[in-house]
Every structure is written in structure tokens, then in C-alpha cells.
Amino acid sequence: MPEQLSIAMSGGVDPSHVPAPTNDAERFVFRQVYETLVRLDCAGELRPGLAQSWRPAEDGHRWTFTLRPGARFSDGTAATAQDVVDAWSARLASLPVGAELSTGSERDVEVRLSRPMTVPWLFADPALSVTRPVAGGDWPAGTGAYAADTTAGRVTVAPFGATGRPVLVLRANGSGDARDLLDAGIDLLVTDDAAALSYAASRSEFVTVGLPWERTYVLAVPGDAISVDAPLRAGLARDAVRVDARPAAAPLWWSDPGALSCGLEPPPGAGPIVSGPTADAIVYPRDDAPARDLTGRLVALGIGGGVSALRATGLGPAEFAAALASGRAAAYVVVLPRTTLEPCAALRTLIARAPWLADGPARHLTPLVDARRRAIVRRGAAAFTMDWDGTLRVQ
């Protein structure tokens, strides 16, 4: 195995986002650095994470997780059950409603649930990664095999301890030709760029691996959702976007009947934002090519919000967030994760982005297409495993 791997993924890496990634690069880096108590692999099997074992009691209403012996944070301090409780207490919205936390011993974390659980898979949710603040440091400490550093102006993810793992150096996968990255020696590129995938297929030094369908593009309408039939979805997946896409397929976590019991409501202080596009626009994140292509096709077809003569409006991240929160556009093309381990927590996050969805997301959201990326790996560079959501880990 080489001493260093060069990684290219979309997006920058901001330690203030830990543990909730906002793009591919953060998702990859955070997964190397921070652990959840348990892991869920790509086959749906539960595996040890920070916890070496777990056991139920009271018919699944209470679970005890035992941390692995000798577990330490990257700053050298021992990881204890109290650290888990402290980290989770700062993210109660990511836990099941009514969950109660306690420590049974220095290594035992006890979670009492209002509704029983036969398998504790939701504790593999990255939002429940265990972190520890570091005084004067940008990055919280984690218990994973790596620690991240951005002080040199680039993202370096280095192993700590005698692991024999390579140093990971991230390079930006920006708006340039992704094929140039492969020629420049990139060892791992996660992309949906058709030209790069075709180029890699023609080169014997690369192998391409399909990742799970990880995102769904939906049309969000402040009024009632618009009906889009199966042939139109198939046409959008086949003709409108230039990535690996399929018609959006069930199940859809925001339409789950169990969501009705989540107690959804707008966050405190939420209200309409005055700024934003006019009501004759379908708004999309301008840096997302499939979202741009879908919006263009919908406008051409005259679909969206019951308003004639719509126009497509692409916005940057901050502008798009403000526009989505306002609910003042005719419609929005929004990217949602394809799967989630805890629908109620995901719904609360979604409603924090768009408070006008609180009366029932399924009323306003029309699924369009599912999309996925592929991983291009240089042969012999390293071995990777894959989590339930398609995130890669260096072995």
C-alpha cells in the first residue's frame, strides 16, 4: 500500500460542519475521522464501531452499548461512555423522540427508547458520531483511524497510532475536466461525470465501482405537489440529465406513514424571508448540474407550481437556502438523500430548511429522479469498504 493517497471529491471541507457533512468531500473525511457506536455496511449488516458489542433489554426498549477497550480520541484522551452521552446531548434532534441517555459504567452507554427497536441500526447515523471538543483547535477529536488537518491550506487526513494506513490528501474536484485529475495521479475519484467515467473505462490502471443510489431530486412546491407520471419520470432520467439516473423509486422516507407521528412543526422563530426570487421561477442550486438540467426541462414542459411562463433561476448555496426557506418561488428543485436511518430526524432537518413543509412534506414534494455517483479507483492504490449510504472507508 502506498504511503499517500490522492483523493478527489466535490466540495470543500469545513470542520464547523462536523458531524453533519454538506458535500461528498466532507462525507468522506468525516467518516474516516469520526465513529458511530455501530456501523451499517453496504449489505445492511450491523458491525462494531466505537462499541464492540450491544445488547437489548425490556423487549427492545433499552439498549446497552459497550465501548471497545482502549478506545481513544485523536488528542490521546480515553473515550468513555460519558463522552458519548455528552456528544449526543448536543444533538438531541438526531436521536429518536423521547430517548433517554445514561452511563452504566465507564464503557457502557445505556439508551432508553419510547418505542422498541429490534436492531439498533439507527445508531449508525453519522449525525450520532462521537466527537470531543479540542480547546483552540478547528477540528473536534474523533475515535476513528484518522485525524484531519487543514492548517497548511489543504485537507490532509493522517492516521494516528500504528495503523499502517496511508495519508489521505484531498484535491478539489471543481469545474475543470475530471479526466485531467486522473492523468495527474488521482487514486480515488468519486464522480458522476460521464466523460471521466468513459475515460477511466478505457484505461487499464483504473477500476470503476458503482455506488448506491444516494440522492433523489424532487420538485418542491409551496402549494400542492404536482402530479408527474411514470413516463415523464422515465424521460427525465433518460434524457434530461447526463448522469447515472433512474425514475425516482419508492420507498420515500418523507412519505412514510410513520412520519405522521413525528410531531413536525416549524422551528421557533421561523417565518417568511423577504428576499428571494419572484413567484414565476423554478429555483435550483446552480452548482448542481442535474438540478440545472431538470429545471430546464421542467420549464420547457411548462411544469411547476401552476404558473405559466416559468423561468429557471440558479442560485448559490446561501441564496438558495434563503429562497427555499421563504417559500416565495413557484417551485424548487431540491436534492434529498435517497435513504435515511431516522426519518423523523431527517424530516426535522428538512423542515428547518423549509418551514412551509411543516404541514406535511408529502403534500408538497414530487419525486423526479434518483441519481448516483461512481468511484474510480487506481488499481493497487488501496482497499476500501463501503457503508450503507455509499460512503467509502480506507481499510
Side-chain angles (χ1 to χ4, degrees):
M1 181 181 292
E3 294 183 357
Q4 180 173 299
L5 292 179
S6 185
I7 313 291
M9 294 186 183
S10 61
V13 178
D14 185 342
S16 71
H17 294 160
V18 173
T22 62
N23 56 49
D24 288 345
E26 289 182 347
R27 191 165 65 160
F28 176 79
V29 170
F30 296 175
R31 204 65 59 92
Q32 317 307 313
V33 177
Y34 304 103
E35 289 185 295
T36 47
L37 290 187
V38 293
R39 284 186 51 207
L40 192 66
D41 67 17
C42 59
E45 295 292 328
L46 211 59
R47 300 188 179 278
L50 177 56
Q52 69 171 6
S53 62
W54 48 94
R55 61 186 184 275
E58 301 174 12
D59 296 327
H61 279 92
R62 181 165 59 87
W63 284 85
T64 299
F65 298 87
T66 300
L67 307 190
R68 66 173 179 268
R72 290 188 173 276
F73 287 100
S74 55
D75 63 357
T77 59
T80 68
Q82 188 60 51
D83 290 311
V84 177
V85 172
D86 290 345
W88 285 2
S89 295
R91 306 176 208 132
L92 293 177
S94 299
L95 287 165
V97 174
E100 298 178 2
L101 311 174
S102 62
T103 58
S105 70
E106 189 173 65
R107 290 176 49 210
D108 287 340
V109 181
E110 295 186 354
V111 185
R112 185 176 295 276
L113 303 169
S114 58
R115 293 196 292 184
M117 186 179 300
T118 56
V119 179
W121 42 264
L122 69 83
F123 294 100
D125 189 334
L128 296 178
S129 297
V130 180
T131 63
R132 184 176 184 276
V134 176
D138 292 333
W139 286 87
T143 61
Y146 282 90
D149 182 24
T150 49
T151 56
R154 65 176 184 177
V155 183
T156 301
V157 188
F160 69 93
T163 65
R165 298 171 185 263
V167 173
L168 312 177
V169 178
L170 264 72
R171 293 185 54 179
N173 180 12
S175 58
D177 194 326
R179 292 171 292 187
D180 294 338
L181 292 171
L182 298 175
D183 287 338
I186 286 293
D187 297 301
L188 170 65
L189 170 64
V190 174
T191 185
D192 55 14
D193 182 87
L197 292 168
S198 177
Y199 182 63
S202 70
R203 300 283 296 270
S204 61
E205 65 266 40
F206 297 111
V207 60
T208 300
V209 180
L211 302 179
W213 299 99
E214 95 282 4
R215 65 196 192 276
T216 299
Y217 289 83
V218 303
L219 184 66
V221 182
D224 289 336
I226 295 169
S227 177
V228 173
D229 60 21
L232 178 53
R233 284 193 180 94
L236 292 173
R238 182 183 62 248
D239 304 324
V241 296
R242 292 182 288 274
V243 298
D244 198 359
R246 69 179 186 185
L252 304 170
W253 51 263
W254 57 88
S255 299
D256 189 315
L260 298 176
S261 64
C262 288
L264 303 177
E265 58 184 25
I273 296 176
V274 175
S275 63
T278 58
D280 64 349
I282 300 181
V283 179
Y284 67 92
R286 68 181 174 213
D287 295 331
D288 190 306
R292 179 192 62 229
D293 295 339
L294 286 167
T295 304
R297 182 60 57 88
L298 294 172
V299 167
L301 294 172
I303 296 173
V307 178
S308 61
L310 289 172
R311 59 190 175 88
T313 300
L315 299 176
E319 296 171 303
F320 182 80
L324 181 63
S326 75
R328 295 181 66 242
Y332 306 82
V333 171
V334 180
V335 189
L336 298 179
R338 175 76 184 84
T339 56
T340 181
L341 296 179
E342 171 53 313
C344 286
L347 284 168
R348 287 192 290 269
T349 299
L350 179 58
I351 289 169
R353 295 173 62 193
W356 48 271
L357 292 172
D359 62 341
R363 177 189 167 193
H364 302 282
L365 302 181
T366 300
L368 301 174
V369 301
D370 295 332
R372 67 177 175 181
R373 298 176 176 87
R374 294 181 180 269
I376 302 173
V377 184
R378 188 175 299 275
R379 294 183 188 274
F384 298 89
T385 59
M386 188 186 303
D387 282 354
W388 60 279
D389 59 353
T391 303
L392 299 174
R393 293 176 183 261
V394 181
Q395 284 189 312

